[in-house]
Every structure is written in C-alpha cells, then in structure tokens.
Amino acid sequence: PSLTLPNIPSGCGQQQEAIGMETRPETFSIFRTQENDPACQSEQHLGQYYTVPPSHFHTVFPHGLPPRYQQQVKTFNEGCVMVRQPALELISHLKRADYSKPTLRYLLYGVKGSGKTMSLCHTVHYCSTQGWLVLHIPDAHLWVKNCKELLPSSYHASRFDQPIQASNWLRNFRTTNEHFLSKIKLRQRYVWTKRESTEEGRPLGELVDMGVSRVKSSSDVVGAVLKELRLQAGGTEGGFRLAVAVDGVNGLWGRTTLKKEDKSPVAPEELTLVHNLRKMINNDWCGGAVIATLSQTGSLYAPSSAYLPQELLGEEGFDSMDPFVPVPVSLYSEKEFESCYLYYLDHIHFHHWLQHPHSQTEEGKKELIFLSNRNPSVLERLCAFL
Amino acid sequence: MAASLTGLLKPWTPRVLLVRWSRYNPYYLEPGPRKEVYHIPETELTPEQKEERELKSVRPIKAATNSVTSSVFNDPVLSKFVNMMMKDGDKIIAKGIITQTLENMKRKQVEKYHKAPEGKKAEIECNPYAIFHQALENCKPVIGLTSIQKGGKFYQVPIPLTDNRRRFLAMKWMITECRDNKHRRTLMYEKLSQELLAAFSKEGNVVKRKHELHKMAESNRAYAHYRWW
C-alpha cells in the first residue's frame, strides 16, 4: 500500500499574480521570481532567484548554509536562492517517488564551487515546506577532524564519542523540527546511567533536551534519535517522511585526522556518530529519502582535482552508497550567469553590490566571465571586492 | 640644446641621471596597456594623440611589468599600495589582504546604508575604490620637512613635496599605522578597513599624523629660507 500523505496546500496561485504584476515595474525583475514555494517552481523559473521568507529562515537553516552565503545574507538582509536544474530534478524525483519501497539515495556531485551545497539547501527547504522531518548534517567532515574531546563510548567499548559536535547538532536539530518533537513517541526504553533512563512512550523532545543538557551522553542520544526515526518513518499511523540531508558524505568513509591516546589513528567506524550515520544511509528503511553531497573542500587526504563519486567516496564508500541516483551539478549556464550578474547589479532592493564603475559595463562583464569561468563561488568572491 | 641632445640619444645610450633599478634612458617610451586608446579610428584622433601614435611607431618602448594588465579593473595606485604592503616578494598574500579589505569596507558601508534613514542614504559611499582613493587623498601631506645642515647644526626645514613623494608618504603612514597599532588578535585587513574608513571621514591616527607634520612645518616657518632650491 502506498503512502498518501496530504500535500501541504501551497500558494501555486502566486504564478497568476506574477504575470499580473508585470505592470508594476518596481517588483517585477527578470531575474527574480515571486514564487517563493519550492513545490511550485518549474522549468520556467530556471535561472531566477526566489527569496526564502525571513520567518522561515532561522528555523529551516540554523546550520548547513555555506559560510560565505551566510555573510551575504547578513549583508543583503535577504536570503535569495537561484532555481537551478539539479535542485529542480531532485525535487521532481522526491515528488514522484514511491515511499513504501526502500529509500532512494541521491548524490550531488560536481567541481569545486559549482553549487552542490546550495542545491542541497534548496531541496531541504522544499522538504521542510512539505512538512517532512529534516535531518540535516551540515558537514560530515566536521565529525572526523579537529575534535578536541574524544571520550571512549560508554555503550560500546571500542568506540569513541564526540560530545561537543553531537550536542551542537542536537541543538540545531531541535530548532529545525520543533513541531515534530512532541508528536513522535519513543518505542524503546533507553538507559543512560544507573539513575537516568528514558521510558517508552515519552516524546522525542525529551530525549533531545536530555542530549543537549547532558553533554557526555549526547553521541548516544544522537544514535538513539536516528534509530527511532528510522523505525518510525515508514509507519502508517501518524507517519511522516524523513529526509536525511548529508553534506560532504565522503567524510564518512576514508580516514580521519583524529588520534587515540597512544597516537594510533582512529578509523571512522570507531566513532559513534559516524557509525550511526552510516546505518541511516543504508537503504534498509522506507518512508523517506537520503540526499547527499560530495565535497572535496573539507575532505581529508583527497587531491584537490577530485570531484567524481568514484574518486571521493573510495571503494568502501561507493559500495555502501551503491545503488544511488547521481545528480551532476554544473557551472552556471549563460542564462544563469546573466541572472546572477543582474542580481548583483540590482539597485532597487539594495544599493548595487557591484560598485566598481567598470564592472557595470559590457567590458567588465566579459572580464568577469573570463576570470570566473562561470564558476558560482569564484564569481561571488570576485564580485565581493569589485 | 636640449632638442639636439635628445636627438643624440640612442637605445643603447646609458642613463645620465641614474634611477634606482632602471636601465632605460629617456629615449624609451612608457607602455600603454589600455585597449580603448587603440580602438579609436584614425579620423577621431586629436593632434596630440596623432603625434603620440607617430612617436610610438618610431621610438622603442619599455617592457611592461608583470603587475600591469589591460584589464578594466587595473588601478595603478592600488597596485602601488599592494607592492608597498608586500613582504619578501609574496604578492599573493598582499593582494589577498587588499581584496579582503575592500570587501570588508563594502560590507560595512552596505550594512550602514541599510540601517540609515531615507534622507541619509544618498550620502553613504559604498564604492570601496572611491573610499580608498579619497582616504589616501585625505592622508597626503601638503608640505614636508627635511634636515638641512647650516653652521654645524641640523635644522628641520619645510619644503614642498612632489606628488609621488606625497602619495608614498600617505601609503607608508597607513601601512605602518596598521602594522604597529593593532591588537595582537585583529587581522590586518580588519584594521586596514577601519583606518581607511576613518581616514575617509578625516578622523583616525593617520590624518592626525599628517596634521602634526603640518603643525611642525608651520612652527619651523622661520627656517624656510635655508632651502636653496
């Protein structure tokens, strides 16, 4: 039996308004669209920017956005995302997938700076507007490097806990999924210490709060949360859809830079967080989707020219992720570049970002194309100081 | 006499008045890297430009340095500033610091613009290049001091400064100020952007140093006749 969850009624009728708004020049621009709901965006909006409503912004994206984009949002006082082909493809797959079958895994890959994280964030916004439970891990590489405190795990002798990273992630998880925390009930009893335990039937929110306050057992709490969500995602009564969004998934396989006390290297399997996350990415549960991004930027011991899944995931990673739906993310096309250039040149919503007088001419534009090779992140860095 | 002397100059003639590392004598012309100059068709040239073109077809031209580009974003003053900030020939780091400074200045000004009330918005300058040039102008001293020996003692005598010297002094003061008077944890680009924004509004330590030089020169007015050039 296939799951029929009610589709959240969205303002698809806004499209009609957008056409009617042509007569008011100050709100109609060729590179912006009024269609702020990812569910209603289609090919006609390709290359246009839509604004994430400011009320949603901090709940949907407490973490997960690239740091430069966060700076840009702070400077411009608005979060605009470009509608691009990989994100639309992902959203259409998510709309039409059969959620009674085992989970489909989608992998975004592309050269450095081509917009994989932003496409992932666009998809996460779609999932949260549709009422899914979103499990967004901002960067899996942060869990395998630069860890100051590595505690031996209380649950399993040979594993290691990372209390700071786990409690940070739980805090952000709580901000994103407030409304689910009281609805989901635990199906198992969890014992933390001799005096503390969480009973069956308690709401998930209590577990998460416990994890945030008791930092020492936060990694085990993360494991428990993931297990509960995996069991309950496909349920028919009170069922919800689960979206697991992992950025930099190639960090889960490969090597870490962490060392044990006797200076021997720690393998990723020996970290509780990584172990539990790998169980999530396996497609042995149903009722949701796993969307992952490869990332060379934070990766360890990977050459900087590597961007294909085979190179970055390695043997072990590729075998675990196999079969997956690959979604390539390319550099800006001409239309997208135009749109990005016009966005930076916009003087209605903000005093234009491209301030240099020569950058507003044709010559300057040709030079920007040449210098950036239409790479989104390089273009952003160039326009920042021009 | 000067005309006949320049007629005697050949490409291989050594320089008479030596300049620091340059082996070119005045016979050589400067390179002109901007493309627009060469796109003007024959008919629209002014007489000076026609003369210049004829001279360029006859005389040899100096080789352009690596830092000079035909790009529209090339700024000679900014390049000079980058070179002065450079240590041990590491231009990548120096250029990186300057680009971060420009970006930081632009962000600060844009944020100020958003917070400002409607009437004040037009006065806020958001172009980092305009701010940089104006700040440098505000730091340039008008008159300088030099040490002249007269009757066994050295006096600080006020002298006029050439344009190059003034620009050099402004840049030097800016860079030494940012290097010396900053907190251990502040990064160079942060301090530099603060100083440039202060100099743009005529406050800050660099402008204060310029004013002090002017006051010293004013107080030593009496010794001005010791200058013989």
Side-chain angles (χ1 to χ4, degrees), chain A residues 15-47:
Chain A
Q15 281 193 23
Q16 299 299 321
E17 273 178 74
I19 302 168
M21 266 180 187
E22 267 181 55
T23 47
R24 287 206 315 200
E26 65 269 22
T27 44
F28 178 74
S29 345
I30 201 149
F31 57 92
R32 276 186 202 261
T33 173
Q34 306 296 325
E35 195 58 70
N36 286 344
D37 190 4
C40 296
Q41 284 160 357
S42 61
E43 276 83 31
Q44 56 173 207
H45 298 114
L46 270 181

CSV table of all heavy atoms in Angstrom, one decimal, chain A residues 15-47:
chain,number,residue,atom,x,y,z
A,15,GLN,N,1.6,32.2,-9.2
A,15,GLN,CA,2.1,32.3,-10.5
A,15,GLN,C,1.2,33.3,-11.3
A,15,GLN,O,1.7,34.1,-12.1
A,15,GLN,CB,2.0,31.0,-11.2
A,15,GLN,CG,3.2,30.1,-10.8
A,15,GLN,CD,3.3,28.9,-11.8
A,15,GLN,OE1,2.8,29.0,-12.9
A,15,GLN,NE2,3.9,27.8,-11.3
A,16,GLN,N,-0.1,33.2,-11.1
A,16,GLN,CA,-1.0,34.1,-11.8
A,16,GLN,C,-0.7,35.5,-11.4
A,16,GLN,O,-0.7,36.4,-12.2
A,16,GLN,CB,-2.5,33.8,-11.4
A,16,GLN,CG,-2.9,32.3,-11.8
A,16,GLN,CD,-2.8,32.1,-13.2
A,16,GLN,OE1,-3.1,32.9,-14.0
A,16,GLN,NE2,-2.3,30.9,-13.6
A,17,GLU,N,-0.4,35.7,-10.1
A,17,GLU,CA,-0.2,37.1,-9.6
A,17,GLU,C,1.1,37.6,-10.3
A,17,GLU,O,1.1,38.8,-10.6
A,17,GLU,CB,0.0,37.1,-8.1
A,17,GLU,CG,-1.2,37.2,-7.3
A,17,GLU,CD,-0.9,37.1,-5.9
A,17,GLU,OE1,-0.4,38.1,-5.3
A,17,GLU,OE2,-1.1,36.1,-5.2
A,18,ALA,N,2.1,36.7,-10.5
A,18,ALA,CA,3.3,37.2,-11.0
A,18,ALA,C,3.1,37.8,-12.4
A,18,ALA,O,3.7,38.8,-12.8
A,18,ALA,CB,4.3,36.1,-11.1
A,19,ILE,N,2.2,37.1,-13.2
A,19,ILE,CA,2.0,37.6,-14.6
A,19,ILE,C,1.3,39.0,-14.5
A,19,ILE,O,1.5,39.9,-15.2
A,19,ILE,CB,1.2,36.6,-15.4
A,19,ILE,CG1,2.0,35.3,-15.4
A,19,ILE,CG2,1.0,37.1,-16.8
A,19,ILE,CD1,1.2,34.2,-15.9
A,20,GLY,N,0.3,39.1,-13.5
A,20,GLY,CA,-0.4,40.3,-13.4
A,20,GLY,C,0.4,41.5,-12.9
A,20,GLY,O,0.1,42.6,-13.2
A,21,MET,N,1.6,41.1,-12.2
A,21,MET,CA,2.4,42.1,-11.6
A,21,MET,C,3.3,42.8,-12.7
A,21,MET,O,4.1,43.7,-12.3
A,21,MET,CB,3.3,41.5,-10.5
A,21,MET,CG,2.7,41.7,-9.2
A,21,MET,SD,3.8,40.9,-8.0
A,21,MET,CE,2.8,41.0,-6.6
A,22,GLU,N,3.2,42.4,-13.9
A,22,GLU,CA,4.1,43.0,-14.9
A,22,GLU,C,4.0,44.5,-15.0
A,22,GLU,O,4.9,45.2,-15.4
A,22,GLU,CB,3.9,42.4,-16.3
A,22,GLU,CG,4.7,41.2,-16.6
A,22,GLU,CD,4.5,40.6,-17.9
A,22,GLU,OE1,4.6,41.4,-18.9
A,22,GLU,OE2,4.1,39.4,-18.0
A,23,THR,N,2.8,45.0,-14.7
A,23,THR,CA,2.5,46.4,-14.8
A,23,THR,C,3.2,47.2,-13.7
A,23,THR,O,3.3,48.4,-13.9
A,23,THR,CB,1.0,46.7,-14.8
A,23,THR,OG1,0.5,45.9,-13.7
A,23,THR,CG2,0.4,46.1,-16.1
A,24,ARG,N,3.7,46.5,-12.6
A,24,ARG,CA,4.3,47.3,-11.6
A,24,ARG,C,5.8,47.1,-11.7
A,24,ARG,O,6.3,46.1,-11.1
A,24,ARG,CB,3.8,46.8,-10.2
A,24,ARG,CG,2.4,47.3,-9.9
A,24,ARG,CD,2.1,47.4,-8.4
A,24,ARG,NE,2.7,46.2,-7.8
A,24,ARG,CZ,2.3,45.8,-6.6
A,24,ARG,NH1,1.4,46.5,-5.9
A,24,ARG,NH2,2.9,44.8,-6.0
A,25,PRO,N,6.5,48.0,-12.3
A,25,PRO,CA,7.9,47.7,-12.6
A,25,PRO,C,8.8,47.5,-11.4
A,25,PRO,O,9.8,46.8,-11.4
A,25,PRO,CB,8.4,48.9,-13.4
A,25,PRO,CG,7.4,49.9,-13.2
A,25,PRO,CD,6.1,49.3,-12.8
A,26,GLU,N,8.4,48.1,-10.2
A,26,GLU,CA,9.4,48.0,-9.1
A,26,GLU,C,9.4,46.7,-8.5
A,26,GLU,O,10.4,46.3,-7.8
A,26,GLU,CB,9.1,49.1,-8.0
A,26,GLU,CG,7.8,49.0,-7.3
A,26,GLU,CD,6.7,49.7,-8.0
A,26,GLU,OE1,6.8,50.0,-9.2
A,26,GLU,OE2,5.7,50.0,-7.3
A,27,THR,N,8.4,45.8,-8.7
A,27,THR,CA,8.5,44.5,-8.1
A,27,THR,C,8.8,43.4,-9.1
A,27,THR,O,9.1,42.3,-8.7
A,27,THR,CB,7.2,44.1,-7.4
A,27,THR,OG1,6.1,44.5,-8.2
A,27,THR,CG2,7.1,44.8,-6.0
A,28,PHE,N,8.7,43.7,-10.4
A,28,PHE,CA,9.0,42.7,-11.4
A,28,PHE,C,10.4,42.8,-11.9
A,28,PHE,O,10.7,43.9,-12.4
A,28,PHE,CB,7.9,42.8,-12.5
A,28,PHE,CG,8.2,41.8,-13.6
A,28,PHE,CD1,7.8,40.5,-13.4
A,28,PHE,CD2,8.7,42.2,-14.8
A,28,PHE,CE1,8.0,39.6,-14.4
A,28,PHE,CE2,8.9,41.3,-15.8
A,28,PHE,CZ,8.6,40.0,-15.6
A,29,SER,N,11.2,41.8,-11.8
A,29,SER,CA,12.5,41.9,-12.4
A,29,SER,C,12.7,40.6,-13.2
A,29,SER,O,12.1,39.6,-12.8
A,29,SER,CB,13.6,42.1,-11.4
A,29,SER,OG,13.1,42.5,-10.2
A,30,ILE,N,13.6,40.6,-14.1
A,30,ILE,CA,13.7,39.4,-15.0
A,30,ILE,C,14.4,38.3,-14.3
A,30,ILE,O,14.3,37.1,-14.7
A,30,ILE,CB,14.4,39.8,-16.3
A,30,ILE,CG1,14.1,38.8,-17.4
A,30,ILE,CG2,15.9,39.9,-16.1
A,30,ILE,CD1,14.1,39.5,-18.7
A,31,PHE,N,15.1,38.6,-13.2
A,31,PHE,CA,15.9,37.5,-12.6
A,31,PHE,C,15.3,37.1,-11.2
A,31,PHE,O,15.9,36.3,-10.6
A,31,PHE,CB,17.4,38.0,-12.4
A,31,PHE,CG,17.5,39.2,-11.6
A,31,PHE,CD1,17.6,39.2,-10.2
A,31,PHE,CD2,17.4,40.5,-12.2
A,31,PHE,CE1,17.7,40.3,-9.5
A,31,PHE,CE2,17.5,41.6,-11.5
A,31,PHE,CZ,17.6,41.6,-10.1
A,32,ARG,N,14.3,37.8,-10.8
A,32,ARG,CA,13.6,37.4,-9.6
A,32,ARG,C,12.3,36.8,-9.9
A,32,ARG,O,11.6,37.1,-10.8
A,32,ARG,CB,13.4,38.6,-8.7
A,32,ARG,CG,14.6,39.0,-7.9
A,32,ARG,CD,14.1,40.1,-6.9
A,32,ARG,NE,15.3,40.8,-6.5
A,32,ARG,CZ,16.0,40.6,-5.4
A,32,ARG,NH1,15.5,39.8,-4.5
A,32,ARG,NH2,17.0,41.4,-5.1
A,33,THR,N,11.8,35.8,-9.0
A,33,THR,CA,10.5,35.3,-9.2
A,33,THR,C,9.8,35.5,-7.9
A,33,THR,O,10.4,35.5,-6.8
A,33,THR,CB,10.6,33.9,-9.7
A,33,THR,OG1,9.3,33.4,-9.7
A,33,THR,CG2,11.4,33.0,-8.7
A,34,GLN,N,8.5,35.6,-8.0
A,34,GLN,CA,7.7,35.8,-6.8
A,34,GLN,C,7.3,34.5,-6.2
A,34,GLN,O,6.7,34.4,-5.1
A,34,GLN,CB,6.3,36.6,-7.1
A,34,GLN,CG,6.6,37.9,-7.8
A,34,GLN,CD,7.3,38.9,-6.9
A,34,GLN,OE1,7.1,38.9,-5.7
A,34,GLN,NE2,8.2,39.6,-7.5
A,35,GLU,N,7.6,33.4,-6.9
A,35,GLU,CA,7.2,32.0,-6.5
A,35,GLU,C,8.2,31.6,-5.4
A,35,GLU,O,9.2,31.0,-5.7
A,35,GLU,CB,7.3,31.1,-7.7
A,35,GLU,CG,6.6,29.8,-7.6
A,35,GLU,CD,5.2,29.9,-7.3
A,35,GLU,OE1,4.4,30.4,-8.1
A,35,GLU,OE2,4.8,29.7,-6.1
A,36,ASN,N,7.8,31.8,-4.1
A,36,ASN,CA,8.7,31.5,-3.1
A,36,ASN,C,8.6,30.1,-2.5
A,36,ASN,O,9.3,29.7,-1.6
A,36,ASN,CB,8.5,32.5,-1.9
A,36,ASN,CG,9.1,33.8,-2.3
A,36,ASN,OD1,9.9,33.9,-3.2
A,36,ASN,ND2,8.8,34.9,-1.5
A,37,ASP,N,7.7,29.3,-3.1
A,37,ASP,CA,7.5,28.0,-2.6
A,37,ASP,C,8.2,27.0,-3.5
A,37,ASP,O,7.8,26.9,-4.7
A,37,ASP,CB,6.0,27.7,-2.5
A,37,ASP,CG,5.7,26.4,-1.8
A,37,ASP,OD1,6.6,25.8,-1.3
A,37,ASP,OD2,4.5,26.1,-1.8
A,38,PRO,N,9.1,26.2,-3.0
A,38,PRO,CA,9.9,25.3,-3.9
A,38,PRO,C,9.0,24.3,-4.6
A,38,PRO,O,9.3,23.8,-5.7
A,38,PRO,CB,10.9,24.6,-3.0
A,38,PRO,CG,11.0,25.5,-1.8
A,38,PRO,CD,9.7,26.2,-1.7
A,39,ALA,N,7.8,23.9,-4.0
A,39,ALA,CA,7.0,22.9,-4.6
A,39,ALA,C,6.4,23.4,-5.9
A,39,ALA,O,6.1,22.6,-6.8
A,39,ALA,CB,5.9,22.6,-3.6
A,40,CYS,N,6.2,24.7,-6.1
A,40,CYS,CA,5.6,25.2,-7.3
A,40,CYS,C,6.5,25.7,-8.3
A,40,CYS,O,6.1,26.2,-9.3
A,40,CYS,CB,4.6,26.3,-6.9
A,40,CYS,SG,3.3,25.8,-5.9
A,41,GLN,N,7.8,25.5,-8.1
A,41,GLN,CA,8.8,26.0,-9.0
A,41,GLN,C,8.9,25.0,-10.2
A,41,GLN,O,9.0,23.8,-9.9
A,41,GLN,CB,10.1,26.3,-8.4
A,41,GLN,CG,10.0,27.6,-7.6
A,41,GLN,CD,11.1,27.7,-6.5
A,41,GLN,OE1,11.9,26.7,-6.4
A,41,GLN,NE2,11.2,28.8,-5.8
A,42,SER,N,9.0,25.5,-11.4
A,42,SER,CA,9.2,24.6,-12.5
A,42,SER,C,10.2,25.1,-13.5
A,42,SER,O,10.9,26.1,-13.2
A,42,SER,CB,7.8,24.4,-13.2
A,42,SER,OG,7.5,25.7,-13.7
A,43,GLU,N,10.3,24.5,-14.7
A,43,GLU,CA,11.4,24.9,-15.6
A,43,GLU,C,11.3,26.3,-16.0
A,43,GLU,O,12.3,26.9,-16.4
A,43,GLU,CB,11.3,24.0,-16.9
A,43,GLU,CG,12.1,22.7,-16.8
A,43,GLU,CD,11.2,21.7,-16.1
A,43,GLU,OE1,10.0,21.7,-16.3
A,43,GLU,OE2,11.8,20.8,-15.5
A,44,GLN,N,10.1,26.9,-16.0
A,44,GLN,CA,10.0,28.3,-16.4
A,44,GLN,C,10.7,29.3,-15.4
A,44,GLN,O,11.0,30.4,-15.7
A,44,GLN,CB,8.6,28.7,-16.6
A,44,GLN,CG,7.8,28.6,-15.4
A,44,GLN,CD,6.4,29.1,-15.5
A,44,GLN,OE1,5.8,29.5,-14.5
A,44,GLN,NE2,5.9,29.2,-16.7
A,45,HIS,N,11.0,28.8,-14.2
A,45,HIS,CA,11.7,29.6,-13.2
A,45,HIS,C,13.2,29.4,-13.2
A,45,HIS,O,13.9,29.9,-12.3
A,45,HIS,CB,11.1,29.3,-11.8
A,45,HIS,CG,9.7,29.6,-11.6
A,45,HIS,ND1,8.7,28.7,-11.4
A,45,HIS,CD2,9.0,30.8,-11.7
A,45,HIS,CE1,7.6,29.3,-11.3
A,45,HIS,NE2,7.7,30.5,-11.5
A,46,LEU,N,13.7,28.6,-14.1
A,46,LEU,CA,15.1,28.2,-14.1
A,46,LEU,C,15.9,29.5,-14.3
A,46,LEU,O,15.7,30.3,-15.1
A,46,LEU,CB,15.4,27.3,-15.3
A,46,LEU,CG,15.4,25.8,-15.0
A,46,LEU,CD1,15.7,25.1,-16.3
A,46,LEU,CD2,16.2,25.4,-13.9
A,47,GLY,N,16.9,29.7,-13.4
A,47,GLY,CA,17.8,30.8,-13.5
A,47,GLY,C,17.3,32.0,-12.7
A,47,GLY,O,18.0,33.0,-12.6
